[in-house]
Amino acid sequence: MSTYPLLSFAIWIPIVAGLAVLATGSDRNAPLARMLALFGAIVSFLVTIPLWTSFDVANGGMQFVELKSWIPRFNINYHLGVDGISMLFVLLNAFITIIVVAAGWEVIKQKVAQYNAAFLIMSGLMNGIFASVDGVLFYVFFEASLIPLYLIIGVWGGPNRVYAAFKFFLYTLFGSLLLLLSLMYLFIHSGGSFSILEWHKLPIELGPQIWLFLAFLIAFAVKVPMWPVHTWLPDAHVEAPTGGSIVLAAIALKLGAYGFLRFSLPIAPDASHELSGLVVALSLIAVVYIGFVALVQEDMKKLVAYSSIAHMGFVTLGFFMFSSMGIEGALVQMVSHGFVSGAMFFCIGVMYDRLHSRQIADYGGVVNTMPKFAALFMLFSMANAGLPATSGFVGEFMIILGAVKFNFWVAFAAATSLIIGAAYTLWMYKRVIFGDVANDHVAELTDINKREFAILGVLAICTLWMGLYPQPFTEVMHASVNDLLRHVAISKIQ
Amino acid sequence: MFENFVVPDLLPAAPEMFLAAMALAILMIDLLVKDSRRTVTFALTQLTLIGCAAIQFGTSTGEIVYTFSNMFVDDLMADLLKLFLYMTVVIVLFYSRTYVIDRESMNKGEYYVLTLLATLGMMVMISANHFLTIYIGLELLSLSLYAMVAMNRDSVASTEAAMKYFVLGALASGLLLYGMSMIYGATGTLEITAIAERLYGGGVNKTVLVFGLVFLVSGLAFKLGVVPFHMWIPDVYHGAPTSVTLLIGSAPKLAAFAIVMRLLVNGLITMAADWQAMLIILSVLSMAIGNLAAIAQTNLKRMLAYSAISHMGFMLLGITTGVVSGDARYALNAYSSAMFYVIAYVLMSMGTFGMILLMAKAGFEADNLDDFRGLNKRSPWFAGIMLMLMFSMAGVPFFIGFFAKFSVLQAVVAAGYMWLAIVAVFFSLIGAFYYLRVVKLMYFDAPVDETPLTAGLDMRILISVNGLAVAFLGIFPQVIMSLCAYALLRSL
């Protein structure tokens, strides 16, 4: 264990760096702002590496704990810690921030400082969510992270950005507010504690458990997003700039899923068992129905956005199998989706920067003009479709394996998504990349430059690494997942 | 000869007396000052307020002290509220300075004297332990404000607003007086602590008392500006000169909180079951109508007026949940949450009206929502400040508004009114919409005119400090929260 506050660094270095970037002011200083942002993002990532290297894989509890009194009047503490479930997300988040800063390097020409600052600040806030052990601290980060994303969509987004930004903010705020009331209920029920770990041990009758579970479900389902509260996501994605989409898909969607593991399952285990059918049903609808919706999209970004919903449906499905296989599979799927969807949105961004269109119909034969790009894009499409040897396969495979034990027909329905997923991804890939050069615009395309190649290359390495050798990822989560399952197995009704 | 004349203990009321004396002195001095040298009046006014704060510090004993035959009380709640009051008025005057100088008919000594007299009225309200003291304080405040609303004589809107304010305000005072007289009829005393004792002793005519209570609550609701007694708020906020709106929209909320506490909690706590039900209805209606009507506004001052209605409704939630089925265990928590909410609201409200004043120029009021279009292009710094204020009002962390809402909701949930908390949360969500719209105008839209903001250095610094305080206190709310709880613990 290190003696310096690693988690505080992970939270506050990007925020302070963001404020520093903001201070560079107008676009005259844009090069400085970019350099500073990249520097800040890299430093923020470097400080999180010891989280993994000195992580004790045998320990299922909270590690790197920091505990300071924050608001003694309500017994609210600045209580940080990560376990095997959250540690990887802190790293993933810090890593994605570098990608995002690099992705906006030449593309963002207006309000450069504000753009980069918003992403850095959001990165810090999201690390705060994953590292909070105190309920109010969690909530504060959870809600505060809406502000930068609202601005990112609204300021740098597409033509319909205002509608999308409002919809995003109000939907997620609605969910958050119910979460807040649940936290207050638990505070009073526990006799004055906001510690999430204390709540895990709290006996609660079935009635209140069900209400709590439903409040959590709404709060996190909006964020995941699950069918039928998913409608804000395609809007947000389509309007958001590339960086916004990457962060949204790679990190922000994980917050909701993470909430299930941190709140719903361990605090209301009996209600979770009681209502698992509901969540499983909603997840399967997301997997199958949304998969079909993705199939008919004409906008590439929308297609990937819907595929995100389907993939996240897989994640929630994995959680409610109540087996270590299912939950670990879901966690792997989440990390993998972070790489793959981030890369997919970046690829679409690359094409959009050149042609200013995301319509599939405007493309065709891109492989002839952008061979390097086509090769990398293929890898990510395959990963998105869940091809073995890519990260996308590992998670889906584990979840389906878990599902078979749970209920054959659930597993059967889930497995159809492998076909649907392959269908919409590969069909899109075929229409965009292969065939004859469709029009003059495509003929004039230039292949990816060094910066874009570096970004996609790094993501490709991650995707393959996770696909070929997932053990370092599953190893760190194992003890914590077992710990969690022990909580879920014990009834809280007394 | 003098055996009936007991010299009262003047010390607890020393700040009031100092302020009254200074107000009269400044009125005289101003006659000798040339129009171009009005800064003298301004400086004296500010020094007076700072002097009051110093005296308040010096004379505070931390105990509950009654004086003037129990008509006046000085306790920690009063001390704390008054200190915030002085601070608020000092800042309000700094904010209004340029605005007032730019407008010929307002740049008079009376402006400052009336502000001081209004402050005196609020101080008396905060320290009142007697129906008549409350009434005197209230009328002193109201009459000063009526005059100030009408000060911009050339403006038809201002005159109309003043007229409306005066007529409706007089009606509310009438309701309040009527209620007071009925309670006097039932209990035979006007002194708040004595009323509490009489009620506790029993044997009081309940029918008369409840009638009195209804009128009292109506009068209070009017002064707080909660639905259905809210109709004056949008018109007065809108019609008054912005510097006066700033005053009306901030400091009097502190005084109104104090009289609600004195009348309902100190005096009529045994009737809690009766006024609680009324306040719950008022607060739910206020949150609903305030938040819904704010969405339709195109004028920022009107929007903030409706938002003030909803905020006061939210604050009332804290007061209503103090006593649950006769059990007063929740009292301290609930009342201190309401007090914290008021203080947080005053801070935010000051900042937002300050922003309007910052943008206003001679002949340009900057009070339309569209005037904020593209502010981020013109001044990223002040757009950032406004952004913090708006998110704070909406109750989003890391800003003080979040913890204000948090502490009130926590009190509501602790008292077992889960449905009320859900209603409050639902309307907060609706409220978030129009605050977001201001942010949208500033950040997502292109500016109508590109000229950079011009304002005095003092103004710029103060607004920045105000905005940053909203953020700073949002991260460290503990000090003010505990102060409120401690002050109420020692005063109830």
Side-chain angles (χ1 to χ4, degrees):
Chain A
M1 293 292 279
S2 49
T3 49
Y4 51 96
L6 273 178
L7 288 173
S8 283
F9 285 168
I11 296 169
W12 298 107
I13 288 177
I15 293 181
V16 170
L19 294 175
V21 171
L22 203 56
T24 60
S26 71
D27 283 342
R28 269 177 296 140
N29 298 327
L32 175 67
R34 285 194 193 102
M35 290 305 294
L36 204 58
L38 187 63
F39 177 73
I42 290 174
V43 172
S44 318
F45 177 61
L46 291 180
V47 298
T48 59
I49 289 178
L51 287 179
W52 200 352
T53 53
S54 54
F55 190 84
D56 176 10
V57 292
N59 181 353
M62 289 292 165
Q63 305 187 27
F64 310 100
V65 174
E66 293 169 40
L67 177 59
K68 285 189 185 64
S69 181
W70 181 24
I71 304 172
R73 170 141 173 68
F74 289 111
N75 196 12
I76 299 170
N77 296 309
Y78 180 73
H79 192 177
L80 301 178
V82 284
D83 59 5
I85 294 171
S86 51
M87 187 272 287
L88 283 175
F89 293 106
V90 175
L91 262 99
L92 178 67
N93 179 20
F95 171 70
I96 291 292
T97 308
I98 303 179
I99 301 279
V100 165
V101 171
W105 198 264
E106 291 149 9
V107 183
I108 299 296
K109 296 194 175 68
Q110 288 197 325
K111 302 183 192 127
V112 177
Q114 294 188 1
Y115 178 85
N116 285 308
F119 279 106
L120 282 169
I121 291 172
M122 192 158 71
S123 166
L125 294 175
M126 289 193 300
N127 273 341
I129 304 174
F130 289 121
S132 294
V133 188
D134 185 277
V136 174
L137 193 65
F138 175 91
Y139 182 81
V140 164
F141 284 122
F142 194 71
E143 214 181 305
S145 66
L146 299 182
I147 302 176
L149 202 51
Y150 171 74
L151 293 175
I152 288 164
I153 297 173
V155 177
W156 293 275
N160 208 8
R161 60 207 156 91
V162 173
Y163 170 76
F166 271 79
K167 197 170 172 184
F168 156 76
F169 196 100
L170 293 176
Y171 261 65
T172 38
L173 184 65
F174 171 67
S176 312
L177 287 169
L178 288 176
L179 175 65
L180 181 65
L181 292 180
S182 318
L183 300 186
M184 284 172 176
Y185 173 81
L186 285 167
F187 170 70
I188 288 148
H189 187 72
S190 66
S193 169
F194 271 115
S195 162
I196 298 173
L197 298 179
E198 293 289 314
W199 292 344
H200 287 184
K201 300 174 198 140
L202 206 60
I204 308 171
E205 290 305 311
L206 186 62
Q209 266 198 44
I210 298 235
W211 285 112
L212 277 174
F213 184 86
L214 289 175
F216 287 144
L217 178 66
I218 295 171
F220 299 130
V222 170
K223 203 89 176 182
V224 169
M226 293 171 78
W227 184 87
V229 283
H230 65 281
T231 59
W232 62 271
L233 186 74
D235 286 315
H237 267 309
V238 168
E239 299 303 329
T242 301
S245 291
I246 294 176
V247 168
L248 201 56
I251 311 296
L253 300 192
K254 273 56 185 202
L255 300 171
Y258 172 74
F260 278 110
L261 292 187
R262 195 56 92 219
F263 291 90
S264 308
L265 288 177
I267 293 175
D270 303 288
S272 301
H273 284 287
E274 204 69 27
L275 296 172
S276 67
L278 172 70
V279 183
V280 167
L282 292 179
S283 305
L284 284 178
I285 293 175
V287 170
V288 179
Y289 165 71
I290 297 293
F292 281 116
V293 173
L295 202 55
V296 298
Q297 296 307 315
E298 286 164 359
D299 180 313
M300 286 188 276
K301 224 172 175 183
K302 243 187 177 151
L303 188 146
V304 180
Y306 278 111
S307 105
S308 279
I309 301 171
H311 281 114
M312 292 309 287
F314 243 105
V315 170
T316 45
L317 184 68
F319 288 165
F320 283 82
M321 311 277 106
F322 307 112
S323 65
S324 68
M325 187 67 99
I327 293 178
E328 280 176 29
L331 284 168
V332 170
Q333 169 88 340
M334 279 156 80
V335 177
S336 151
H337 182 252
F339 296 133
V340 176
S341 70
M344 291 295 278
F345 281 116
F346 182 73
C347 287
I348 294 166
V350 163
M351 286 189 276
Y352 181 78
D353 293 339
R354 288 166 171 69
L355 221 61
H356 295 285
S357 165
R358 286 186 300 254
Q359 298 298 311
I360 295 173
D362 288 346
Y363 292 88
V366 172
V367 69
N368 299 303
T369 46
M370 300 174 76
K372 273 193 276 180
F373 171 75
L376 285 163
F377 192 25
M378 168 123 89
L379 173 72
F380 297 119
S381 298
M382 293 298 182
N384 202 38
L387 190 83
T390 63
S391 63
F393 172 74
V394 183
E396 289 190 15
F397 180 71
M398 286 169 83
I399 294 168
I400 292 175
L401 219 55
V404 173
K405 277 191 221 155
F406 181 77
N407 178 320
F408 174 76
W409 291 107
V410 169
F412 180 78
T416 58
S417 86
L418 289 177
I419 302 162
I420 305 166
Y424 59 70
T425 314
L426 297 181
W427 193 35
M428 175 193 78
Y429 185 80
K430 181 221 139 202
R431 283 183 291 169
V432 171
I433 303 291
F434 293 144
D436 296 329
V437 173
N439 53 42
D440 296 346
H441 295 298
V442 176
E444 287 163 13
L445 284 176
T446 50
D447 208 347
I448 46 177
N449 59 28
K450 283 199 186 105
R451 175 184 63 91
E452 290 160 337
F453 184 78
I455 294 171
L456 288 174
V458 171
L459 286 169
I461 291 168
C462 294
T463 309
L464 287 173
W465 174 29
M466 229 184 141
L468 295 170
Y469 185 54
Q471 207 209 328
F473 295 91
T474 51
E475 173 188 78
V476 291
M477 55 185 67
H478 203 68
S480 300
V481 169
N482 283 339
D483 214 42
L484 173 73
L485 283 169
R486 265 197 298 281
H487 272 296
V488 180
I490 305 165
S491 169
K492 295 286 163 69
I493 304 168
Q494 283 184 343
Chain B
M1 188 180 176
F2 289 114
E3 67 243 28
N4 285 333
F5 188 82
V6 185
V7 178
D9 182 7
L10 296 175
L11 209 55
E16 279 82 356
M17 287 185 289
F18 173 70
L19 194 134
M22 284 302 289
L24 298 178
I26 291 170
L27 190 61
M28 292 297 150
I29 293 166
D30 186 68
L31 289 176
L32 308 171
V33 172
K34 271 190 269 166
D35 272 2
S36 55
R37 302 278 304 279
R38 190 113 297 137
T39 314
V40 178
T41 318
F42 172 76
L44 278 174
T45 310
Q46 296 290 46
L47 284 176
T48 305
L49 289 163
I50 292 164
C52 283
I55 296 170
Q56 197 81 48
F57 261 116
T59 58
S60 171
T61 55
E63 302 299 320
I64 306 176
V65 187
Y66 294 100
T67 184
F68 298 114
S69 322
N70 290 354
M71 290 178 94
F72 189 94
V73 59
D74 185 22
D75 52 15
L76 265 187
M77 180 180 94
D79 288 338
L80 191 63
L81 284 174
K82 280 185 205 167
L83 285 174
F84 278 113
L85 173 67
Y86 305 141
M87 195 184 77
T88 309
V89 178
V90 166
I91 297 174
V92 163
L93 282 173
F94 268 116
Y95 281 173
S96 348
R97 185 152 162 69
T98 352
Y99 184 90
V100 170
I101 290 173
D102 284 348
R103 280 153 190 81
E104 191 74 26
S105 62
M106 293 186 70
N107 192 18
K108 297 275 189 289
E110 295 93 285
Y111 182 83
Y112 299 101
V113 177
L114 284 172
T115 307
L116 283 181
L117 290 176
T119 312
L120 180 61
M122 291 186 260
M123 290 158 74
V124 171
M125 281 159 81
I126 290 172
S127 272
N129 187 40
H130 195 275
F131 281 173
L132 284 183
T133 329
I134 286 188
Y135 192 69
I136 289 171
L138 193 60
E139 285 306 285
L140 188 53
L141 167 68
S142 303
L143 288 169
S144 313
L145 290 181
Y146 300 151
M148 288 178 81
V149 171
M151 257 191 124
N152 195 359
R153 280 173 315 197
D154 311 327
S155 157
V156 180
S158 293
T159 321
E160 190 192 320
M163 196 64 204
K164 230 175 229 170
Y165 193 15
F166 174 67
V167 171
L168 291 174
L171 183 73
S173 299
L175 289 176
L176 204 60
L177 267 189
Y178 195 44
M180 286 172 172
S181 70
M182 280 184 158
I183 290 172
Y184 175 71
T187 60
T189 175
L190 287 170
E191 192 190 312
I192 291 172
T193 33
I195 290 172
E197 279 162 28
R198 297 276 158 85
L199 290 179
Y200 195 71
V204 178
N205 185 334
K206 182 91 178 173
T207 322
V208 180
L209 205 58
V210 171
F211 263 97
L213 185 68
V214 171
F215 282 105
L216 205 65
V217 169
S218 310
L220 286 178
F222 187 93
K223 294 297 175 192
L224 276 172
V226 291
V227 178
F229 305 96
H230 67 288
M231 286 314 293
W232 61 279
I233 293 250
D235 291 328
V236 172
Y237 273 45
H238 183 192
T242 310
S243 64
V244 179
T245 313
L246 169 66
L247 183 64
I248 298 176
S250 55
K253 309 290 182 204
L254 294 168
F257 169 77
I259 57 168
V260 171
M261 287 295 292
R262 299 271 184 223
L263 282 173
L264 298 184
V265 177
N266 284 1
L268 301 169
I269 192 74
T270 36
M271 309 269 299
D274 296 289
W275 54 256
Q276 215 167 26
M278 287 189 248
L279 289 194
I280 287 179
I281 295 170
L282 294 180
S283 87
V284 169
L285 283 177
S286 304
M287 288 187 291
I289 292 175
N291 280 322
L292 288 173
I295 292 175
Q297 305 307 318
T298 54
N299 180 286
L300 183 57
K301 274 158 84 180
R302 276 192 102 80
M303 191 196 95
L304 289 172
Y306 281 106
S307 114
I309 295 169
S310 75
H311 279 289
M312 285 303 111
F314 208 101
M315 186 275 285
L316 279 185
L317 284 182
I319 293 178
T320 51
T321 48
V323 180
V324 181
S325 50
D327 186 349
R329 260 187 311 158
Y330 308 93
L332 180 68
N333 188 13
Y335 301 145
S336 64
S337 75
M339 188 166 168
F340 181 64
Y341 196 93
V342 171
I343 290 169
Y345 174 73
V346 168
L347 192 68
M348 298 184 291
S349 166
M350 237 174 8
T352 20
F353 284 112
M355 277 300 300
I356 302 180
L357 287 172
L358 179 84
M359 311 238 323
K361 292 189 285 267
F364 173 63
E365 295 291 333
D367 62 349
N368 279 316
L369 277 170
D370 283 345
D371 296 332
F372 279 76
R373 218 172 261 275
L375 183 62
N376 184 39
K377 270 242 174 60
R378 297 171 60 194
S379 166
W381 175 252
F382 287 107
I385 298 279
M386 188 69 174
L387 169 110
M388 293 201 274
L389 289 164
M390 285 296 113
F391 277 118
S392 180
M393 285 244 190
V396 175
F398 283 87
F399 308 109
I400 191 170
F402 167 69
F403 277 107
K405 283 209 160 66
F406 176 89
S407 57
V408 170
L409 281 177
Q410 192 272 336
V412 174
V413 174
Y417 291 98
M418 201 58 176
W419 67 271
L420 204 52
I422 292 173
V423 170
V425 152
F426 177 72
F427 286 116
S428 298
L429 179 73
I430 293 177
F433 178 79
Y434 57 86
Y435 297 121
L436 278 182
R437 204 176 45 183
V438 177
V439 176
K440 175 228 158 201
L441 287 171
M442 293 191 302
Y443 279 83
F444 307 173
D445 290 357
V448 182
D449 94 284
E450 298 262 1
T451 47
L453 292 179
T454 51
L457 187 66
D458 52 346
M459 180 91 182
R460 286 162 168 269
I461 291 174
L462 265 177
I463 295 228
S464 306
V465 170
N466 192 333
L468 292 177
V470 164
F472 180 80
L473 292 172
I475 300 175
F476 303 103
Q478 166 74 13
V479 178
I480 297 186
M481 267 184 188
S482 310
L483 266 181
C484 292
Y486 181 70
L488 286 174
L489 179 70
R490 298 287 302 270
S491 311
L492 285 175

PDB file of all heavy atoms in Angstrom, chain A residues 351-366:
ATOM      1  N   MET A 351     -14.222   9.782 -39.912  1.00  0.00           N
ATOM      2  CA  MET A 351     -14.892   9.913 -41.226  1.00  0.00           C
ATOM      3  C   MET A 351     -15.682  11.213 -41.282  1.00  0.00           C
ATOM      4  O   MET A 351     -15.687  11.908 -42.302  1.00  0.00           O
ATOM      5  CB  MET A 351     -15.815   8.718 -41.450  1.00  0.00           C
ATOM      6  CG  MET A 351     -15.047   7.460 -41.767  1.00  0.00           C
ATOM      7  SD  MET A 351     -16.129   6.129 -42.270  1.00  0.00           S
ATOM      8  CE  MET A 351     -16.632   5.475 -40.706  1.00  0.00           C
ATOM      9  N   TYR A 352     -16.314  11.561 -40.161  1.00  0.00           N
ATOM     10  CA  TYR A 352     -17.138  12.768 -40.153  1.00  0.00           C
ATOM     11  C   TYR A 352     -16.281  14.003 -40.362  1.00  0.00           C
ATOM     12  O   TYR A 352     -16.672  14.928 -41.087  1.00  0.00           O
ATOM     13  CB  TYR A 352     -17.886  12.858 -38.812  1.00  0.00           C
ATOM     14  CG  TYR A 352     -18.787  14.057 -38.725  1.00  0.00           C
ATOM     15  CD1 TYR A 352     -20.028  14.057 -39.363  1.00  0.00           C
ATOM     16  CD2 TYR A 352     -18.403  15.189 -38.040  1.00  0.00           C
ATOM     17  CE1 TYR A 352     -20.856  15.155 -39.300  1.00  0.00           C
ATOM     18  CE2 TYR A 352     -19.229  16.295 -37.967  1.00  0.00           C
ATOM     19  CZ  TYR A 352     -20.445  16.276 -38.599  1.00  0.00           C
ATOM     20  OH  TYR A 352     -21.263  17.373 -38.535  1.00  0.00           O
ATOM     21  N   ASP A 353     -15.080  14.014 -39.779  1.00  0.00           N
ATOM     22  CA  ASP A 353     -14.194  15.167 -39.946  1.00  0.00           C
ATOM     23  C   ASP A 353     -13.862  15.399 -41.423  1.00  0.00           C
ATOM     24  O   ASP A 353     -13.656  16.524 -41.856  1.00  0.00           O
ATOM     25  CB  ASP A 353     -12.875  14.948 -39.184  1.00  0.00           C
ATOM     26  CG  ASP A 353     -13.097  14.923 -37.693  1.00  0.00           C
ATOM     27  OD1 ASP A 353     -14.133  15.461 -37.254  1.00  0.00           O
ATOM     28  OD2 ASP A 353     -12.253  14.359 -36.979  1.00  0.00           O
ATOM     29  N   ARG A 354     -13.812  14.320 -42.174  1.00  0.00           N
ATOM     30  CA  ARG A 354     -13.406  14.448 -43.573  1.00  0.00           C
ATOM     31  C   ARG A 354     -14.591  14.760 -44.489  1.00  0.00           C
ATOM     32  O   ARG A 354     -14.478  15.533 -45.432  1.00  0.00           O
ATOM     33  CB  ARG A 354     -12.711  13.162 -44.018  1.00  0.00           C
ATOM     34  CG  ARG A 354     -11.327  13.000 -43.415  1.00  0.00           C
ATOM     35  CD  ARG A 354     -10.797  11.582 -43.589  1.00  0.00           C
ATOM     36  NE  ARG A 354      -9.397  11.465 -43.202  1.00  0.00           N
ATOM     37  CZ  ARG A 354      -8.935  11.565 -41.960  1.00  0.00           C
ATOM     38  NH1 ARG A 354      -9.773  11.822 -40.977  1.00  0.00           N
ATOM     39  NH2 ARG A 354      -7.648  11.434 -41.692  1.00  0.00           N
ATOM     40  N   LEU A 355     -15.724  14.120 -44.209  1.00  0.00           N
ATOM     41  CA  LEU A 355     -16.839  14.209 -45.156  1.00  0.00           C
ATOM     42  C   LEU A 355     -18.039  14.979 -44.607  1.00  0.00           C
ATOM     43  O   LEU A 355     -18.968  15.300 -45.341  1.00  0.00           O
ATOM     44  CB  LEU A 355     -17.284  12.775 -45.512  1.00  0.00           C
ATOM     45  CG  LEU A 355     -17.622  12.521 -46.970  1.00  0.00           C
ATOM     46  CD1 LEU A 355     -16.400  12.794 -47.820  1.00  0.00           C
ATOM     47  CD2 LEU A 355     -18.075  11.090 -47.152  1.00  0.00           C
ATOM     48  N   HIS A 356     -18.007  15.259 -43.314  1.00  0.00           N
ATOM     49  CA  HIS A 356     -19.113  15.951 -42.645  1.00  0.00           C
ATOM     50  C   HIS A 356     -20.449  15.267 -42.862  1.00  0.00           C
ATOM     51  O   HIS A 356     -21.461  15.911 -43.114  1.00  0.00           O
ATOM     52  CB  HIS A 356     -19.158  17.429 -43.050  1.00  0.00           C
ATOM     53  CG  HIS A 356     -17.951  18.132 -42.576  1.00  0.00           C
ATOM     54  ND1 HIS A 356     -17.760  18.487 -41.269  1.00  0.00           N
ATOM     55  CD2 HIS A 356     -16.813  18.479 -43.212  1.00  0.00           C
ATOM     56  CE1 HIS A 356     -16.574  19.037 -41.127  1.00  0.00           C
ATOM     57  NE2 HIS A 356     -15.969  19.045 -42.288  1.00  0.00           N
ATOM     58  N   SER A 357     -20.398  13.957 -42.829  1.00  0.00           N
ATOM     59  CA  SER A 357     -21.640  13.203 -42.889  1.00  0.00           C
ATOM     60  C   SER A 357     -21.460  11.933 -42.092  1.00  0.00           C
ATOM     61  O   SER A 357     -20.360  11.377 -42.034  1.00  0.00           O
ATOM     62  CB  SER A 357     -21.990  12.860 -44.334  1.00  0.00           C
ATOM     63  OG  SER A 357     -22.989  11.856 -44.321  1.00  0.00           O
ATOM     64  N   ARG A 358     -22.547  11.514 -41.467  1.00  0.00           N
ATOM     65  CA  ARG A 358     -22.501  10.244 -40.759  1.00  0.00           C
ATOM     66  C   ARG A 358     -23.473   9.250 -41.389  1.00  0.00           C
ATOM     67  O   ARG A 358     -23.690   8.177 -40.858  1.00  0.00           O
ATOM     68  CB  ARG A 358     -22.846  10.454 -39.285  1.00  0.00           C
ATOM     69  CG  ARG A 358     -21.736  11.102 -38.502  1.00  0.00           C
ATOM     70  CD  ARG A 358     -22.088  11.136 -37.046  1.00  0.00           C
ATOM     71  NE  ARG A 358     -23.291  11.888 -36.829  1.00  0.00           N
ATOM     72  CZ  ARG A 358     -23.314  13.109 -36.291  1.00  0.00           C
ATOM     73  NH1 ARG A 358     -22.208  13.688 -35.920  1.00  0.00           N
ATOM     74  NH2 ARG A 358     -24.446  13.744 -36.128  1.00  0.00           N
ATOM     75  N   GLN A 359     -24.059   9.653 -42.510  1.00  0.00           N
ATOM     76  CA  GLN A 359     -25.017   8.769 -43.158  1.00  0.00           C
ATOM     77  C   GLN A 359     -24.273   7.635 -43.854  1.00  0.00           C
ATOM     78  O   GLN A 359     -23.314   7.870 -44.593  1.00  0.00           O
ATOM     79  CB  GLN A 359     -25.835   9.540 -44.203  1.00  0.00           C
ATOM     80  CG  GLN A 359     -26.666  10.665 -43.623  1.00  0.00           C
ATOM     81  CD  GLN A 359     -27.694  10.156 -42.630  1.00  0.00           C
ATOM     82  OE1 GLN A 359     -28.419   9.227 -42.917  1.00  0.00           O
ATOM     83  NE2 GLN A 359     -27.728  10.760 -41.444  1.00  0.00           N
ATOM     84  N   ILE A 360     -24.755   6.416 -43.610  1.00  0.00           N
ATOM     85  CA  ILE A 360     -24.101   5.263 -44.242  1.00  0.00           C
ATOM     86  C   ILE A 360     -24.170   5.390 -45.754  1.00  0.00           C
ATOM     87  O   ILE A 360     -23.219   5.081 -46.473  1.00  0.00           O
ATOM     88  CB  ILE A 360     -24.776   3.950 -43.772  1.00  0.00           C
ATOM     89  CG1 ILE A 360     -24.540   3.777 -42.267  1.00  0.00           C
ATOM     90  CG2 ILE A 360     -24.248   2.759 -44.545  1.00  0.00           C
ATOM     91  CD1 ILE A 360     -25.284   2.634 -41.641  1.00  0.00           C
ATOM     92  N   ALA A 361     -25.278   5.936 -46.232  1.00  0.00           N
ATOM     93  CA  ALA A 361     -25.494   6.023 -47.675  1.00  0.00           C
ATOM     94  C   ALA A 361     -24.483   6.934 -48.373  1.00  0.00           C
ATOM     95  O   ALA A 361     -24.253   6.835 -49.577  1.00  0.00           O
ATOM     96  CB  ALA A 361     -26.915   6.512 -47.951  1.00  0.00           C
ATOM     97  N   ASP A 362     -23.878   7.855 -47.625  1.00  0.00           N
ATOM     98  CA  ASP A 362     -22.921   8.765 -48.241  1.00  0.00           C
ATOM     99  C   ASP A 362     -21.550   8.134 -48.439  1.00  0.00           C
ATOM    100  O   ASP A 362     -20.656   8.762 -48.998  1.00  0.00           O
ATOM    101  CB  ASP A 362     -22.762  10.020 -47.378  1.00  0.00           C
ATOM    102  CG  ASP A 362     -23.991  10.898 -47.448  1.00  0.00           C
ATOM    103  OD1 ASP A 362     -24.805  10.659 -48.354  1.00  0.00           O
ATOM    104  OD2 ASP A 362     -24.135  11.793 -46.595  1.00  0.00           O
ATOM    105  N   TYR A 363     -21.392   6.933 -47.925  1.00  0.00           N
ATOM    106  CA  TYR A 363     -20.086   6.290 -48.008  1.00  0.00           C
ATOM    107  C   TYR A 363     -20.169   5.067 -48.914  1.00  0.00           C
ATOM    108  O   TYR A 363     -21.212   4.738 -49.450  1.00  0.00           O
ATOM    109  CB  TYR A 363     -19.587   5.877 -46.628  1.00  0.00           C
ATOM    110  CG  TYR A 363     -19.251   7.058 -45.758  1.00  0.00           C
ATOM    111  CD1 TYR A 363     -20.219   7.663 -44.967  1.00  0.00           C
ATOM    112  CD2 TYR A 363     -17.958   7.582 -45.742  1.00  0.00           C
ATOM    113  CE1 TYR A 363     -19.909   8.744 -44.169  1.00  0.00           C
ATOM    114  CE2 TYR A 363     -17.646   8.668 -44.962  1.00  0.00           C
ATOM    115  CZ  TYR A 363     -18.630   9.250 -44.160  1.00  0.00           C
ATOM    116  OH  TYR A 363     -18.325  10.317 -43.393  1.00  0.00           O
ATOM    117  N   GLY A 364     -19.033   4.393 -49.008  1.00  0.00           N
ATOM    118  CA  GLY A 364     -18.936   3.190 -49.831  1.00  0.00           C
ATOM    119  C   GLY A 364     -17.556   3.166 -50.448  1.00  0.00           C
ATOM    120  O   GLY A 364     -17.077   4.198 -50.939  1.00  0.00           O
ATOM    121  N   GLY A 365     -16.887   2.020 -50.331  1.00  0.00           N
ATOM    122  CA  GLY A 365     -15.572   1.895 -50.919  1.00  0.00           C
ATOM    123  C   GLY A 365     -14.494   2.701 -50.231  1.00  0.00           C
ATOM    124  O   GLY A 365     -13.485   3.057 -50.847  1.00  0.00           O
ATOM    125  N   VAL A 366     -14.665   2.979 -48.980  1.00  0.00           N
ATOM    126  CA  VAL A 366     -13.665   3.771 -48.261  1.00  0.00           C
ATOM    127  C   VAL A 366     -12.327   3.042 -48.217  1.00  0.00           C
ATOM    128  O   VAL A 366     -11.266   3.665 -48.169  1.00  0.00           O
ATOM    129  CB  VAL A 366     -14.181   4.099 -46.846  1.00  0.00           C
ATOM    130  CG1 VAL A 366     -13.111   4.753 -45.992  1.00  0.00           C
ATOM    131  CG2 VAL A 366     -15.407   5.003 -46.926  1.00  0.00           C
TER     132      VAL A 366
END
